[in-house]
Amino acid sequence: MAEAAFRPPRRKRRVFECYQAPFPVGAGGGDFRMCRADMVNNSVVVRSPEDVERLYNKGYFGKGILSRSRPVYSISDPSLVSKWQGTNLNMPIITSKKYQQRVQWAKSALQEQGFDSCSVTKILENYTRPLEFPFLEKGGAEQTGDSCDTMGPNTENTELSRHPEPQKEQPAVVKEAAQASCQKHGSHVHCGCKAKGGPEQESCNVAKSRERAPEYVLVQEEEEGSLCLEEGSAHEQEKFVKKEKLVCRRNPFRIFEYLQLSLEEAFFLVYALGCLTVYYGEEPLTILKLWEIFSEVKPSFKTTYMAYHYFRSKGWVPKVGLKYGTDLLLYRKGPPFYHASYSVIAELVDDNFEGSLRRPLSWMSLSGLNRTTVNASKELMLCYLIKPSDMTEEEMATPECLKRIKVQELIVTRWVSSRERSEQDDL
Amino acid sequence: MEAGCSRRLRRNRAPRRSCGQKEFAPDGSAEQDERLRLCLEEQWRQLAEERVERPENLVKAVWKPEQGIVELESPAGKFWHTMGFSERGKQCLLPEEALYLLECGSLQLFYKDVPMSVQEAYEILLSQEAMSLLHYQVFSHLKQLGYIVLRFNPSTVLSSCERQLNLESRCKSSGKHHHKRRRSSSPGSREKKHKVSEDLPKAEGTCEKGGHDCGELSCVPLDEKPLSEQLKELDTGNGEEQSVTSNSVPLDTGRKNVPGPSWSLGTGDQKASSTGTHAPRWDFTTIFLPNVAPDQPCIHLPSPDNKLLPENVPGREVDAASWCRRVNQKQEKLLQKEREQQEKESKYKSSINFDREVRCCINWQEYKALLRWRSQQRVWRQPPHLWGQAVTPLLQPEEATSFAAVRQQISVLQPSHILDGASRLQEDLESIKIDFNVYQADAVAKFKKTNPGKPYVRMCVQSFDEQVPSLRALKQVTYQSGDVPVVFALADHGEIAFYSLKEFKLPVDANY
């Protein structure tokens, strides 16, 4: 019997990140922080930017909903950023057209709220007027001072006018915009709000109160009256030189990117590390409850979780294996550093090493799977989770059952007969 | 065919597999059609070539159907070094060996004095149980690559130490199937020895986590109802001395009311009220408010104290029995939407009154104080919803001193080796049989048929449509093979693919 040889993971050629930590806990005493996640429509979402940062940087948990993996969504246009390289003001730069689009969205959102078009225009004009750069530091007060007198005693409007500290409160325009837009745009603007009321609505309110200052963007606009004709040319179509400039405004329709955790990741953070709390509405869920809920949402949750937990406890980073038709992809340290080494299929079997398989494979499908895996320079691994035959349903209803589970890993390799002969390789 | 004709034709060249660049898709052109036609023609021509051999080179053999073997009539050639066996003084060949030699053109096979064609030989020799077409294709493929392929015999399996002790000869003669042998521990495994007689993992007690009992029960149990809802619903006057109910409106709907301690013994709200503008005028410890909830019906309502009533409002005693009968007569009908909402939420929620600490609050102020205290706990490391439950997180915050320590705390799943528990499976019928022992071509020189030694690999022939062996079957086969790796050979119309499923232990990434 031969054991499969361990092949060291392939390092990525260009690494842009620094490795911080394998887990969000464990860096010594004072570093503990309880992160918060919410159950929204059967998925787990982390909204607070600090939590998002922490969970992703330390262990590569989750995926930004508007990004490929790391939540790096920004409305900034990269081509504009490189064009205006001189001005490094650390604000996103967007085209005027894009900005206007957002103004339109904010407008329709406000209209859905029931404002008449006159007040909508007023609100938006005020909100989106150009701002001087220096105000960013502290002097928010002077520019917002004049906004106070424009509004009436309407409740919503008083919220708008009552924002002398831009750092603390979110202007109502965005709040409402975010709220209403969810009804319209659904998952697009993932604020966690749903059309119906109920706890989701409240969680939205709570989340909003924690959000940060308005987003300041630089809009590339044409300068007024800056057309200059070239002299002495006879052509009809003249080169109109338009001067462009950057104007600082507030984004009236800000989109927040959240971190979505897979069920296994969320459960691991709650159960194994104790550094995450999952809320439903305002209710923190217990571990048992989570185990039950997740198993309902995803029938094979227990199996995939056991595999996830096992690989995490070995120091590897498991991510979702959907792209390769398997359950998990194993990375060493994290996706930015190494290419995934293993593509894992998890199966639960009993003491007699048999069980109803989630993926009953024929040799045909196994060879197909092996081929695609090998083409991506990974190895196909079958992970069998062996549970004792005397394990009852009751025992399986708690994650404590993990302690009695055994794990058997197998690597699928293709034996090449002609090459083996000439190279005298070890099998 | 005469000997002379053979010179013209190239004898040993196999038909070329490719005639130039591969055509990936039909493009409808005449040139492509022509190219393909030429290619096919070439292939047919080569396949149609007659095979020629010198008659004197051919070994004569006779097929013996009763024994299922082939007997040689004339002395064997070079192939005898690696193929064939002797029986009762005669040189014999197994059917697959004979067929292979026939195809090679080294053998002439007779049956009832008539030479067999290759087609006939395929049909007749491979009709046996032990050797099907699939098996033969694998055999042939490997032989052509130069390997030495022998049939598998379970009794000749030796462990590595037996081999070292040279027990081969002894084993062969005894030929029994050894079940309980002590095996050496394979290198690279963990501390565990893979004893053949090892039994099922009893509660191995290698549980790295010591029993996790429900943390500190002094912690507050789960407070599950969204606070905001409750705060909104309960219209708090100044100290309404009713226990918290799951839904507000006190008397009519009469939902579950917590049977709290009697009112008069309340710890009293001597503390300032939360709305705190003025001190309460009444002493609620002495005022009796009847409980008319359905679970504790109070039919008889005594006359209230006159001091409590405004001036021109008379109070009187009442027998509320008739009223109680009229209350709650209709079942509350929920709208479809509300029902769905309720169902959805019931997954996540449970009644606030299950919370022991909440039940201990006898008035609204106490409850609010409890909530305030609890919210402060949120910044605490051990919130009650995690630590006050039956199942607590694996990692204790104080144990999170280093990443290695964290890793150790969370490692609760136990590893298993492929041979664990394999010995007890041997009594069962094997679903997969090992078919061949394969020896490397380089070993030909030293190869002795009578004492072949340890095979390079053992083959199990399978069909592509079959299911991948279960873990159980895999364990059986691995155990049976001893220390020789097992490879699965899949034949699909002449194309053979080989796969192996090997034991593996993912190493720990001790990066930190």
Side-chain angles (χ1 to χ4, degrees):
Chain A
M1 182 222 71
E3 300 205 350
F6 171 67
R7 295 212 198 119
R10 291 180 315 134
R11 182 128 189 141
K12 283 199 165 163
R13 222 167 344 144
R14 285 180 300 171
V15 177
F16 302 107
E17 289 183 29
C18 263
Y19 182 70
Q20 285 187 28
F23 299 122
V25 292
D31 191 32
F32 186 83
R33 181 200 161 94
M34 176 67 79
C35 299
R36 178 191 164 123
D38 293 282
M39 283 282 316
V40 174
N41 252 2
N42 289 340
S43 50
V44 183
V45 156
V46 179
R47 291 194 253 237
S48 145
E50 294 87 25
D51 288 350
V52 166
E53 188 81 15
R54 189 188 176 92
L55 289 176
Y56 193 82
N57 282 335
K58 303 190 180 195
Y60 299 95
F61 292 92
K63 173 196 175 295
I65 57 169
L66 297 174
S67 314
R68 190 167 160 228
S69 54
R70 175 182 278 280
V72 287
Y73 174 75
S74 161
I75 57 169
S76 192
D77 192 337
S79 58
L80 290 183
V81 170
S82 56
K83 179 174 162 193
W84 290 92
Q85 248 170 11
T87 66
N88 54 348
L89 280 164
N90 289 336
M91 283 189 276
I93 306 180
I94 60 176
T95 59
S96 174
K97 184 173 166 195
K98 205 167 174 183
Y99 187 76
Q100 288 309 314
Q101 202 178 39
R102 274 157 175 72
V103 172
Q104 283 307 308
W105 289 346
K107 191 171 177 180
S108 58
L110 283 175
Q111 279 169 345
E112 279 179 21
Q113 289 281 303
F115 288 94
D116 59 291
S117 54
C118 180
S119 25
V120 167
T121 328
K122 248 201 223 164
I123 295 173
L124 280 177
E125 257 173 28
N126 174 48
Y127 193 72
T128 62
R129 65 174 197 274
L131 305 165
E132 289 303 317
F133 295 157
F135 83 89
L136 285 175
E137 306 314 315
K138 183 51 189 73
E142 71 260 18
Q143 57 90 10
T144 55
D146 43 334
S147 71
C148 289
D149 43 61
T150 49
M151 300 306 151
N154 198 337
T155 352
E156 284 91 293
N157 286 346
T158 51
E159 278 187 333
L160 175 60
S161 52
R162 191 182 23 105
H163 66 107
E165 303 95 25
Q167 283 79 26
K168 263 202 270 168
E169 252 188 55
Q170 193 67 28
V173 177
V174 180
K175 262 197 211 146
E176 285 149 17
Q179 193 173 341
S181 67
C182 293
Q183 294 163 13
K184 220 169 87 157
H185 303 292
S187 61
H188 223 29
V189 179
H190 193 100
C191 214
C193 298
K194 292 296 153 214
K196 309 191 183 9
E200 291 102 318
Q201 191 72 20
E202 280 137 28
S203 70
C204 193
N205 289 328
V206 173
K208 278 181 270 183
S209 64
R210 282 197 227 107
E211 274 147 18
R212 295 175 298 182
E215 188 181 23
Y216 299 99
V217 297
L218 295 172
V219 188
Q220 178 177 267
E221 296 170 357
E222 287 155 18
E223 279 195 13
E224 305 282 326
S226 59
L227 310 176
C228 34
L229 294 166
E230 289 228 330
E231 287 184 354
S233 81
H235 289 235
E236 286 268 309
Q237 281 146 6
E238 241 356 297
K239 244 189 11 175
F240 287 89
V241 177
K242 298 187 179 161
K243 278 181 38 192
E244 290 166 335
K245 60 170 181 169
L246 291 179
V247 180
C248 176
R249 300 178 191 269
R250 279 174 294 198
N251 185 0
F253 198 87
R254 188 175 177 189
I255 296 178
F256 295 94
E257 182 171 26
Y258 300 138
L259 187 75
Q260 181 172 4
L261 296 173
S262 73
L263 299 181
E264 291 86 14
E265 288 169 335
F267 195 80
F268 179 80
L269 289 166
V270 177
Y271 175 58
L273 301 183
C275 66
L276 180 77
T277 301
V278 181
Y279 284 81
Y280 179 75
E282 271 309 302
E283 202 174 305
L285 300 170
T286 64
I287 291 175
L288 273 180
K289 196 77 188 177
L290 273 181
W291 184 250
E292 185 192 317
I293 291 171
F294 287 165
S295 306
E296 250 185 73
V297 170
K298 183 177 176 188
S300 60
F301 170 71
K302 294 185 174 113
T303 308
T304 44
Y305 179 71
M306 288 173 195
Y308 184 92
H309 188 116
Y310 178 71
F311 294 119
R312 270 284 179 190
S313 64
K314 291 248 170 168
W316 292 71
V317 175
K319 296 296 263 183
V320 122
L322 189 64
K323 286 186 284 219
Y324 294 94
T326 55
D327 291 318
L328 297 172
L329 288 179
L330 298 186
Y331 290 86
R332 182 180 177 223
K333 278 172 87 174
F337 306 103
Y338 291 86
H339 293 284
S341 311
Y342 300 98
S343 184
V344 183
I345 292 183
E347 293 284 2
L348 186 67
V349 294
D350 60 19
D351 242 344
N352 289 317
F353 312 112
E354 282 172 323
S356 61
L357 302 180
R358 296 166 52 222
R359 274 188 183 81
L361 290 169
S362 67
W363 280 109
M364 188 79 82
S365 27
L366 184 73
S367 50
L369 200 56
N370 185 55
R371 176 71 179 245
T372 53
T373 310
V374 165
N375 272 359
S377 307
K378 301 186 203 313
E379 292 184 80
L380 184 61
M381 183 195 289
L382 304 177
C383 178
Y384 288 97
L385 297 143
I386 304 165
K387 69 169 179 169
S389 307
D390 60 350
M391 186 173 271
T392 57
E393 277 298 313
E394 213 183 289
E395 227 182 306
M396 285 286 276
T398 138
E400 300 276 298
C401 65
L402 259 72
K403 297 179 180 163
R404 292 183 68 199
I405 304 281
K406 293 187 177 231
V407 183
Q408 172 71 57
E409 298 122 290
L410 293 171
I411 296 265
V412 178
T413 48
R414 213 177 128 227
W415 189 80
V416 182
S417 46
S418 44
R419 189 160 36 109
E420 291 277 334
R421 178 185 163 211
S422 53
E423 285 177 0
Q424 281 264 6
D425 260 359
D426 191 7
L427 260 194
Chain B
M1 191 154 181
E2 280 92 41
C5 302
S6 66
R7 312 277 179 222
R8 272 178 302 154
L9 307 162
R10 308 258 194 120
R11 293 168 70 206
N12 294 328
R13 199 173 64 144
R16 255 188 325 159
R17 290 300 211 97
S18 63
C19 296
Q21 176 106 101
K22 177 174 172 178
E23 309 280 347
F24 285 95
D27 59 10
S29 67
E31 290 92 6
Q32 192 189 55
D33 285 343
E34 181 62 19
R35 279 198 299 270
L36 288 173
R37 192 186 63 79
L38 283 173
C39 193
L40 280 170
E41 222 178 68
E42 168 82 7
Q43 282 198 331
W44 276 114
R45 200 171 51 73
Q46 288 185 344
L47 286 172
E49 265 187 33
E50 239 183 278
R51 300 273 299 278
V52 283
E53 279 292 342
R54 288 174 186 271
E56 51 269 23
N57 286 351
L58 295 175
V59 176
K60 287 191 180 40
V62 177
W63 166 242
K64 302 272 184 202
E66 327 74 60
Q67 295 151 39
I69 55 171
V70 167
E71 239 177 48
L72 295 183
E73 300 278 306
S74 51
K78 277 206 298 188
F79 62 80
W80 188 245
H81 183 58
T82 55
M83 292 200 276
F85 57 99
S86 285
E87 200 167 291
R88 293 171 302 197
K90 297 215 121 201
Q91 290 181 319
C92 301
L93 290 172
L94 292 168
E96 66 269 18
E97 295 171 332
L99 183 55
Y100 177 71
L101 289 169
L102 182 66
E103 282 205 294
C104 281
S106 322
L107 190 80
Q108 212 176 10
L109 195 55
F110 289 90
Y111 183 51
K112 297 190 168 130
D113 288 335
V114 174
M116 273 205 257
S117 68
V118 175
Q119 184 180 358
E120 271 181 313
Y122 260 88
E123 277 181 31
I124 295 174
L125 267 58
L126 295 185
S127 58
Q128 314 217 302
E129 221 184 86
M131 196 54 47
S132 69
L133 177 62
L134 230 56
H135 290 80
Y136 175 70
Q137 282 175 332
V138 174
F139 177 87
S140 167
H141 177 101
L142 291 170
K143 289 290 306 174
Q144 284 176 46
L145 290 170
Y147 290 101
I148 302 166
V149 187
L150 302 179
R151 282 202 194 177
F152 175 71
N153 182 358
S155 60
T156 57
V157 175
L158 296 174
S159 72
S160 54
C161 22
E162 281 161 348
R163 198 178 314 240
Q164 282 170 15
L165 294 174
N166 231 331
L167 291 172
E168 289 140 27
S169 43
R170 198 179 72 116
C171 217
K172 209 169 164 211
S173 50
S174 63
K176 57 181 169 69
H177 198 144
H178 296 268
H179 280 279
K180 305 206 193 286
R181 255 180 241 147
R182 225 164 164 83
R183 295 187 181 278
S184 58
S185 55
S186 39
S189 66
R190 290 241 201 139
E191 313 78 62
K192 263 193 185 175
K193 287 206 178 263
H194 306 298
K195 301 195 185 66
V196 159
S197 50
E198 176 192 33
D199 267 1
L200 245 202
K202 300 149 201 173
E204 234 123 352
T206 54
C207 241
E208 289 159 29
K209 303 282 305 147
H212 247 292
D213 297 326
C214 347
E216 289 109 4
L217 286 177
S218 58
C219 287
V220 178
L222 177 67
D223 163 16
E224 284 185 296
K225 183 87 175 164
L227 300 178
S228 39
E229 255 182 51
Q230 294 165 327
L231 293 172
K232 260 193 266 172
E233 287 168 0
L234 283 169
D235 188 4
T236 71
N238 206 347
E240 185 151 287
E241 197 163 19
Q242 260 198 319
S243 301
V244 177
T245 54
S246 37
N247 267 328
S248 65
V249 193
L251 299 182
D252 308 348
T253 50
R255 300 267 178 97
K256 239 199 302 195
N257 195 357
V258 176
S262 69
W263 315 99
S264 46
L265 296 177
T267 56
D269 42 359
Q270 307 307 325
K271 327 159 194 153
S273 64
S274 47
T275 51
T277 44
H278 53 275
R281 285 202 291 136
W282 298 308
D283 180 10
F284 285 99
T285 54
T286 56
I287 300 175
F288 171 70
L289 288 170
N291 175 1
V292 290
D295 57 343
Q296 278 196 7
C298 177
I299 307 292
H300 179 247
L301 302 173
S303 173
D305 196 343
N306 275 327
K307 286 189 290 192
L308 302 174
L309 298 172
E311 278 153 18
N312 43 356
V313 174
R316 59 187 163 92
E317 216 173 281
V318 153
D319 178 11
S322 63
W323 290 110
C324 285
R325 258 177 272 127
R326 294 197 209 179
V327 162
N328 280 338
Q329 282 193 342
K330 253 182 144 179
Q331 271 283 49
E332 180 183 346
K333 270 214 188 105
L334 298 170
L335 294 174
Q336 171 73 7
K337 253 205 297 190
E338 288 173 0
R339 225 177 307 140
E340 280 174 11
Q341 182 74 2
Q342 219 181 45
E343 269 168 28
K344 209 166 39 142
E345 290 183 359
S346 66
K347 257 202 307 185
Y348 299 95
K349 296 186 179 172
S350 43
S351 167
I352 187 72
N353 294 313
F354 289 154
D355 189 334
R356 191 173 45 92
E357 283 201 0
V358 169
R359 286 207 294 275
C360 291
C361 302
I362 58 161
N363 61 24
W364 193 222
Q365 276 178 11
E366 284 186 17
Y367 180 67
K368 280 188 170 176
L370 174 67
L371 292 180
R372 239 178 291 131
W373 181 72
R374 278 183 179 177
S375 66
Q376 280 160 15
Q377 302 245 302
R378 294 243 166 89
V379 303
W380 186 34
R381 275 186 184 197
Q382 298 203 324
H385 64 271
L386 289 182
W387 294 98
Q389 306 295 319
V391 179
T392 57
L394 291 175
L395 181 68
Q396 311 266 355
E398 56 268 13
E399 286 170 1
T401 46
S402 68
F403 296 122
V406 171
R407 218 189 33 77
Q408 207 196 7
Q409 288 294 306
I410 63 177
S411 303
V412 293
L413 288 144
Q414 299 156 38
S416 171
H417 191 271
I418 185 93
L419 291 175
D420 286 352
S423 56
R424 65 183 160 88
L425 299 174
Q426 295 310 114
E427 282 82 41
D428 304 337
L429 224 53
E430 291 149 17
S431 42
I432 299 186
K433 291 194 179 339
I434 303 180
D435 297 302
F436 296 119
N437 290 339
V438 179
Y439 302 83
Q440 269 176 306
D442 315 36
V444 166
K446 297 181 296 171
F447 185 75
K448 282 206 192 34
K449 265 192 302 192
T450 44
N451 185 7
K454 179 176 162 181
Y456 180 52
V457 94
R458 294 198 219 264
M459 288 278 163
C460 294
V461 177
Q462 302 254 292
S463 144
F464 257 113
D465 304 318
E466 276 180 66
Q467 291 287 308
V468 170
S470 63
L471 183 62
R472 184 191 178 84
L474 202 59
K475 284 191 182 238
Q476 277 180 324
V477 143
T478 313
Y479 182 86
Q480 222 193 9
S481 172
D483 54 353
V484 177
V486 172
V487 169
F488 293 91
L490 309 169
D492 176 39
H493 302 108
E495 293 282 336
I496 322 276
F498 300 93
Y499 288 95
S500 67
L501 287 95
K502 290 192 240 167
E503 150 76 36
F504 182 68
K505 273 285 155 283
L506 190 69
V508 173
D509 187 359
N511 184 41
Y512 32 89

